[in-house]
Amino acid sequence: MRHIFFSFLLLFWLISVPRNTLAAEYKPESVQSPNSALQPASKSFYKSASLLVQQQINLIARIEQALSQPDANRMRAVRGQLTIQVKATEGFLKYQYNSPKALCTPTDSSTRLPKTSQLTVEQIQIYCSLYASSSKLSNLAPLLDRLLSRRGELALVRELPLVSGERQSDPVLSIALTQYPNLGKPAIPFSTWEPIPPNPPLLIGITAKTAIADYVPPRQPTIAPPAEALTTLETALQLLATAQTAFPPDIKFNDPRENFTKLDRFAYDLDPQEPQIYAKFLTSPNTGIFRVLPHTAYNRPLNTLQNRLQPSVSDRYPFPSLGEAKGGFTPSLALVMVGDNFQLKQQGLDYNFMVNVGDIPLEKLDAKLQVISPQTRKFFLNYQPPKQLKALQVEQRRFVTGKNQQFNHQVILAGAKSELNRTYLVRSLQFQLPEIIVTGQPLTPTQRRHLDQLQQMHSSDIIFAFRPVRRRSDGSYTVLWRVLNQLPAPQIEDLENYVKF
């Protein structure tokens, strides 16, 4: 009997309690009367409004990233965040004034707001900018839904035995097709999804086996964000920028774009003060400063999809140029860290050799290498590269592996162990082979008439030195470099033997 009495008492209390007590509505701290059309202006207005403005700025940055990524989960996440953000903004606006549209409709400023309003002109500007930007963002919802469906989802519907606690009517988990392009095909071992190294030596006129039998590398997607979405996001940002100007000076906002740029530079670029520290050295011709990254920074992680239109690390932070561009060919200092060794990236027929010459300042080196030991100087200045393509390929492997070398009775490699405050002497030979040689495709009748032009090759032979002056915890180095000698460009005399007619 006692339980029945308490049940009736609880029901009576629920009916008598005001609805706003139970509803999860937005309430500023300074609200005195929830029935008033316009709440008094106070510090809580700026606090709540600034939080919403910052959340919208952050959301816009996340939407921009999701639009250019193949991961459907990113799109799904920002779609849900957009709904939450729009609802939160609507709750704030309606609690400040019950009709945002009427308040923010362009009219004469003297009649825009009732005379009983306690909102200042700056607060009205913030209010209406938030309303306009939120309206813009809410228009993105249908577009995000369409894009999410285009990214593709496939339900795994199979005749499988039910597990404990599962029912036949339970929904089936869906997965994104873009993340699993090989569904229905035989499984490939995880660790061998892509062959290593990512840049194998270029083999011409030689039939070589692939690292994995019948291996076909996965094709990376090309994703261009819709122009209408980018326009909407940019308009919303401009409206939020208008709102920011109306806040008190002590309220600051963070720009995720700027933060991302700063973090990206911190991870891959020089520190701003480093060029200033070595400004005197950098005033000399043919010198520079460069951050040498681990080679993994330039490789796409295994088993991941990336948008091919997004700039890579080498696109954002290109290797230094060692000479003038000729016919689209520019010799570069493609220096990377492989373990504890400095190495130049192997591209095509390019090859090099380097030697640690000790603690010799770069300023003391010259084109004749007079301060270098006679044996090393003679080898660097007198070495002659082969003039046949096959011999060049053999020479490239010889410097990489150190096998079968007859160079002054010592082994000289394409890399050297890294040490701070030591100078490394490098001779770099770089080639840009004609496209008809690289592709190995038979010539068309039109191409045969321009064979001389199609066989033109660009190359460079440069002696330079670099000196690591700082090592970071991630294994990267800051190095100073200087070009010492520009030797005659090497030639390949038997290219016509590799042209397919």
Side-chain angles (χ1 to χ4, degrees), residues 331-383:
S332 63
L333 199 167
L335 190 64
V336 296
M337 292 299 303
V338 180
D340 293 331
N341 295 335
F342 290 115
Q343 288 189 18
L344 291 179
K345 290 188 67 176
Q346 298 294 331
Q347 301 175 352
L349 287 179
D350 299 352
Y351 72 95
N352 70 279
F353 46 88
M354 70 173 64
V355 174
N356 182 343
V357 296
D359 189 9
I360 299 178
L362 292 175
E363 295 85 351
K364 292 186 177 181
L365 294 173
D366 57 11
K368 295 182 179 181
L369 308 179
Q370 296 181 9
V371 296
I372 305 298
S373 65
Q375 186 178 9
T376 301
R377 178 172 66 247
K378 181 179 179 181
F379 178 72
F380 268 78
L381 294 177
N382 297 338
Y383 171 81

Side-chain angles (χ1 to χ4, degrees), residues 416-436:
K417 186 175 178 58
S418 59
E419 291 186 69
L420 273 176
N421 301 318
R422 293 294 184 270
T423 297
Y424 294 80
L425 189 64
V426 185
R427 181 163 172 181
S428 173
L429 296 99
Q430 301 182 33
F431 302 86
Q432 186 185 56
L433 290 178
E435 186 177 358
I436 59 174

Side-chain angles (χ1 to χ4, degrees), residues 3-297:
H3 295 291
I4 297 176
F5 173 79
F6 279 114
S7 299
F8 279 108
L9 183 61
L10 177 62
L11 178 62
F12 177 79
W13 179 82
L14 290 173
I15 296 174
S16 61
V17 171
R19 182 177 302 175
N20 288 345
T21 304
L22 300 177
E25 297 186 48
Y26 177 88
K27 287 189 176 183
E29 296 176 0
S30 63
V31 173
Q32 302 295 333
S33 175
N35 298 321
S36 60
L38 191 64
Q39 304 304 326
S42 64
K43 291 183 179 180
S44 64
F45 174 92
Y46 289 111
K47 180 180 179 181
S48 301
S50 63
L51 178 62
L52 289 173
V53 169
Q54 185 63 66
Q55 289 174 345
Q56 285 198 21
I57 294 174
N58 296 339
L59 178 59
I60 289 172
R62 289 194 293 268
I63 293 176
E64 287 179 338
Q65 293 181 1
L67 289 173
S68 60
Q69 297 294 330
D71 188 358
N73 290 329
R74 284 179 175 264
M75 187 72 69
R76 191 179 295 108
V78 297
R79 176 62 183 89
Q81 293 166 5
L82 176 61
T83 300
I84 295 173
Q85 183 65 31
V86 169
K87 292 298 182 182
T89 305
E90 287 179 357
F92 169 78
L93 296 176
K94 288 185 178 180
Y95 229 92
Q96 295 298 323
Y97 190 74
N98 58 5
S99 180
K101 184 176 181 180
L103 176 62
C104 298
T105 299
T107 57
D108 182 16
S109 59
S110 62
T111 60
R112 171 183 287 183
L113 198 64
K115 294 182 179 180
T116 58
S117 167
Q118 296 184 28
L119 286 178
T120 65
V121 175
E122 290 78 9
Q123 291 170 342
I124 297 174
Q125 180 179 335
I126 296 171
Y127 182 98
C128 293
S129 296
L130 259 177
Y131 170 68
S133 63
S134 182
S135 300
K136 286 289 184 182
L137 291 178
S138 63
N139 294 336
L140 282 178
L143 176 60
L144 295 180
D145 290 336
R146 292 197 303 271
L147 292 176
L148 185 57
S149 63
R150 289 176 186 174
R151 299 282 167 95
E153 291 198 353
L154 177 67
L156 288 177
V157 182
R158 296 180 181 177
E159 293 295 329
L160 296 176
L162 299 179
V163 299
S164 176
E166 185 183 17
R167 298 170 298 177
Q168 191 68 41
S169 59
D170 288 343
V172 181
L173 180 65
S174 60
I175 60 176
L177 276 177
T178 53
Q179 294 180 347
Y180 302 89
N182 293 322
L183 284 176
K185 299 180 181 180
I188 298 176
F190 181 87
S191 61
T192 56
W193 182 269
E194 290 181 295
I196 298 177
N199 297 316
L202 179 64
L203 301 178
I204 299 175
I206 301 175
T207 302
K209 295 181 179 180
T210 58
I212 304 174
D214 301 324
Y215 174 79
V216 178
R219 182 174 178 82
Q220 298 304 304
T222 301
I223 301 175
E228 55 180 315
L230 297 180
T231 301
T232 300
L233 294 175
E234 196 61 36
T235 303
L237 275 179
Q238 294 175 1
L239 292 169
L240 294 175
T242 302
Q244 293 176 51
T245 60
F247 279 93
D250 59 326
I251 297 180
K252 306 297 181 181
F253 296 91
N254 296 321
D255 186 351
R257 292 176 173 178
E258 294 181 359
N259 294 340
F260 175 80
T261 301
K262 291 178 181 178
L263 290 174
D264 194 62
R265 290 176 178 173
F266 178 78
Y268 301 112
D269 202 6
L270 297 167
D271 290 344
Q273 69 274 14
E274 288 181 317
Q276 301 175 5
I277 296 174
Y278 302 99
K280 183 178 180 180
F281 169 80
L282 296 175
T283 56
S284 303
N286 302 320
T287 59
I289 186 171
F290 175 59
R291 182 171 174 180
V292 182
L293 302 172
H295 74 100
T296 52

